[in-house]
């Protein structure tokens, strides 16, 4: 099938590469010439496991172009532009609108158009009306294809999704072209009206954020009564009403912007429709307060001895990404300014800007040498495999604050290091 993909941000790059790998003839369109040329040369501006192989010479790759006119010949066009958020976690739809306006005159007259960008509830129906007005000659119908992008696992999840959710006009069935396209993934397909599909995406993220709040509340109790959240979590997941893949992992709260965006949107939607939305704000507030755990831990276990040297592992907001959107690392480095010399290491992410008093190390152990404590704020697999004996020998004071639960507490303690973790007794 000839498939067009509009917008080459993170979502669009992954979508176009995976659709091409599945055997489709993919035309990937973006007006950014430098970006298009880089992708055509096999250089992706985002880090995603498995993506480089899909874009490598010799692979079945998309054709990356700046000219949208070729979209007119596609059987299906997928609009896959990332929806950025502002500092208040509100969706900024201007980038999406620009791509839609640029591609609009060239959308296929008889094909299908699927919107994959994350949008507020009600947007798809409004966009469908605008497209009909702008293109009265077109018989193409607009669908909402709920994206399954999980940064750091995007390629695997796109190629083998658990399910596909389609928002279809008036809640009916999808056209044969789209059914063929989504049927190729070999997973269940749920069809519903636009609003149900849009709300389902936000509801999934709300559930995940609530699970984080649940885990953190239990972790706080564990630390006070001598229990271990690490020991409890497998037992909780064994209950079939909770599930083996449940998001039960204490943390420093949600980050990255996507979950926060949906909670902000749901709270606003509740206000607009006279619904009690306090639960959405409660989860947001609980997440925002989680940084206090890290600050207390650093103050108590690392900074109490004066103005030391602190090692920090992790800049990205989570593993397998370079994104630092709402990353706790940036808040921690700002809080340590003037209080300690800091060496930070991350295998992929970079600091958005130079931070006074912060040295960027080229290796994990280089950051630790001579430090009065190690603080881990990103759950990279590299950190999980760290030689804890070597870490102990490199530290001036053997203290590790593992804020993401990436290390084995027993192994760390056995190496003679004081382990401080969320939900664990220090």
């Amino acid at each position: 099938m000839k498939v067009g993909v509009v917008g080459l941000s993170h979502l669009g790059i992954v979508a176009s590469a995976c659709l091409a790998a599945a055997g489709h003839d993919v035309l990937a369109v973006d007006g950014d010439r430098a970006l298009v040329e880089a992708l055509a040369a096999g250089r992706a501006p985002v880090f995603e496991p498995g993506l480089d192989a899909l874009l490598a010479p010799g692979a079945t790759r998309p054709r990356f172009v700046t000219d949208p006119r070729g979209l007119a010949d596609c059987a299906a066009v997928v609009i896959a532009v990332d929806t950025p958020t502002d500092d208040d976690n509100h969706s900024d739809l201007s980038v999406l609108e620009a791509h839609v306006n640029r591609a609009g005159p060239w959308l296929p007259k008889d094909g299908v158009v699927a919107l994959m960008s994350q949008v507020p509830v009600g947007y798809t129906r409004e966009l469908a009306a605008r497209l009909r007005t702008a293109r009265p000659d077109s018989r193409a119908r607009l669908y909402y294809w709920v994206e399954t992008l999980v940064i750091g696992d995007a390629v695997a999840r796109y190629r083998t999704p658990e399910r596909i959710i389609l928002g279809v006009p008036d809640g009916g069935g999808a056209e044969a072209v789209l059914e063929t396209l989504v049927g190729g993934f070999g997973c269940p397909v749920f069809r519903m009206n636009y609003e149900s599909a849009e709300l389902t995406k936000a509801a999934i993220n709300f559930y995940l954020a609530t699970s984080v709040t649940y885990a953190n509340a239990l972790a706080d109790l564990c630390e006070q009564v001598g229990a271990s959240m690490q020991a409890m979590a497998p037992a909780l997941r064994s209950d079939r009403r909770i599930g083996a893949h449940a998001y039960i992992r204490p943390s420093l709260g949600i980050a990255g912007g996507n979950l926060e965006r949906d909670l902000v949107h749901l709270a606003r939607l509740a206000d607009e429709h006279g619904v009690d939305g306090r639960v959405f704000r409660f989860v947001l507030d609980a997440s925002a307060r989680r940084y206090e755990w890290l600050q207390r831990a650093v103050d108590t276990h690392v900074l109490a001895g004066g103005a030391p040297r602190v090692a920090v592992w992790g800049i990205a907001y989570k593993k397998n990404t370079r994104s630092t959107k709402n990353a706790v690392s940036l808040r921690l480095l700002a809080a340590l300014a003037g209080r300690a010399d800091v060496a930070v290491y991350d295998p992929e992410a970079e600091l958005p800007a130079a931070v006074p008093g912060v040295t960027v190390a080229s290796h994990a152990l280089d950051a630790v040498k001579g430090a009065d404590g190690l603080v881990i704020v990103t759950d990279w697999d590299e950190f999980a495999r760290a030689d804890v004996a070597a870490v102990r020998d490199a530290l001036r004071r053997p203290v590790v604050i593992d804020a993401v639960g990436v290390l084995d507490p027993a192994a760390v303690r056995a190496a003679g290091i004081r382990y401080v973790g969320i939900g664990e007794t220090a």
Side-chain angles (χ1 to χ4, degrees):
M1 185 183 302
K2 188 171 183 179
V3 180
V5 175
V6 174
L8 294 175
S9 48
H10 201 131
L11 176 60
I13 294 170
V14 170
S16 61
C18 291
L19 288 169
H24 298 291
D25 178 11
V26 178
L27 185 72
V29 182
D30 195 290
D32 186 333
R33 183 170 298 280
L35 172 61
V36 166
E37 291 176 352
L39 288 167
R43 300 190 307 274
V46 296
F47 175 76
E48 196 64 62
L51 182 59
D52 286 346
L54 297 183
L55 297 177
T60 304
R61 302 191 300 176
R63 287 176 292 124
F64 296 103
V65 300
T66 57
D67 190 343
R69 286 179 290 183
L71 296 172
D73 298 324
C74 293
V77 170
V78 180
I79 301 171
V81 183
D82 287 342
T83 306
T85 55
D86 61 20
D87 291 340
D88 295 319
N89 295 310
H90 295 132
S91 293
D92 178 1
L93 298 172
S94 62
V95 177
L96 171 60
E97 291 285 329
H99 279 279
V100 169
N101 291 337
R102 188 168 181 270
W106 307 106
L107 294 177
K109 292 181 179 180
D110 297 304
V112 299
V113 179
L115 174 63
M116 191 176 280
S117 305
Q118 190 167 351
V119 294
V121 175
Y123 180 88
T124 308
R125 189 170 299 278
E126 184 269 335
L127 177 60
R130 276 196 284 135
L131 290 177
R132 285 194 301 270
T133 300
R135 290 286 306 279
D137 62 321
S138 176
R139 290 173 292 278
R141 293 203 299 171
L142 179 67
Y143 298 85
Y144 184 59
W145 183 346
V146 175
E147 55 93 353
T148 58
L149 184 77
V150 174
I151 292 177
D153 193 28
V155 170
R157 284 181 60 86
Y158 197 99
R159 302 188 76 176
T160 56
E162 302 127 314
R163 74 296 180 249
I164 289 175
I165 302 167
L166 288 181
V168 302
D170 303 320
E175 294 175 56
V177 168
L178 187 57
E179 291 288 0
T180 299
L181 186 60
V182 301
F185 289 94
C187 65
V189 179
F190 297 90
R191 303 162 189 84
M192 57 195 74
N193 69 8
Y194 290 148
E195 291 78 10
S196 297
E198 291 164 336
L199 189 55
T200 297
K201 173 59 180 176
I204 291 169
N205 283 347
F206 171 45
Y207 189 90
L208 296 177
T210 304
S211 297
V212 172
T213 305
Y214 162 83
N216 283 335
L218 289 173
D220 288 345
L221 285 175
C222 285
E223 292 175 24
Q224 297 303 314
V225 303
S228 167
M229 192 62 190
Q230 187 180 66
M232 290 169 54
L236 293 170
R237 294 192 187 99
S238 71
D239 190 312
R240 64 183 180 182
R241 294 166 299 178
I242 297 175
H245 302 289
Y247 216 57
I248 303 174
R249 182 179 178 182
S251 70
L252 295 175
I254 56 178
N258 294 324
L259 271 64
E260 301 95 306
R261 179 236 319 278
D262 282 333
L263 288 168
V264 168
H265 173 56
L266 290 170
R268 179 189 293 177
L269 199 64
D271 290 343
E272 291 173 354
H273 293 273
V275 175
D276 186 348
R278 284 177 291 183
V279 65
F280 306 123
R281 294 186 178 86
F282 171 79
V283 174
L284 276 169
D285 291 343
S287 176
R289 290 195 301 270
R290 286 308 297 174
Y291 176 78
E292 296 172 5
W293 181 94
L294 181 61
Q295 191 63 66
R296 286 196 303 271
V298 172
D299 287 348
T300 301
H301 299 287
V302 178
L303 298 183
R309 186 175 189 271
V310 178
V312 175
W313 280 1
I315 296 174
Y317 84 90
K318 69 172 187 176
K319 70 178 181 180
N320 294 337
T321 180
R322 297 184 184 122
S323 175
T324 58
K325 175 70 175 181
N326 294 352
V328 71
S329 61
L330 304 184
R331 189 171 178 182
L332 173 63
L333 295 179
L336 289 173
R339 304 180 69 194
D341 292 327
V342 180
V344 63
Y345 168 75
D346 190 288
E348 285 291 337
E350 298 179 354
L351 291 174
V355 181
V358 174
T359 301
V360 178
S362 56
H363 299 285
L365 279 179
D366 288 344
V368 175
K369 289 177 181 176
D372 293 283
L374 166 63
V375 184
I376 309 176
V377 293
T378 309
D379 56 338
W380 286 98
D381 291 345
E382 175 182 333
F383 301 159
R385 298 189 298 265
D387 182 343
V388 291
V391 170
R392 178 205 58 212
D393 293 343
L395 286 168
R396 186 162 57 190
R397 291 176 53 226
V399 177
V400 170
I401 299 175
D402 182 4
V404 287
V406 73
L407 298 180
D408 178 357
V412 174
R413 290 172 178 137
I417 302 173
R418 184 171 192 180
Y419 180 87
V420 181
I422 300 177
E424 305 297 320
T425 305

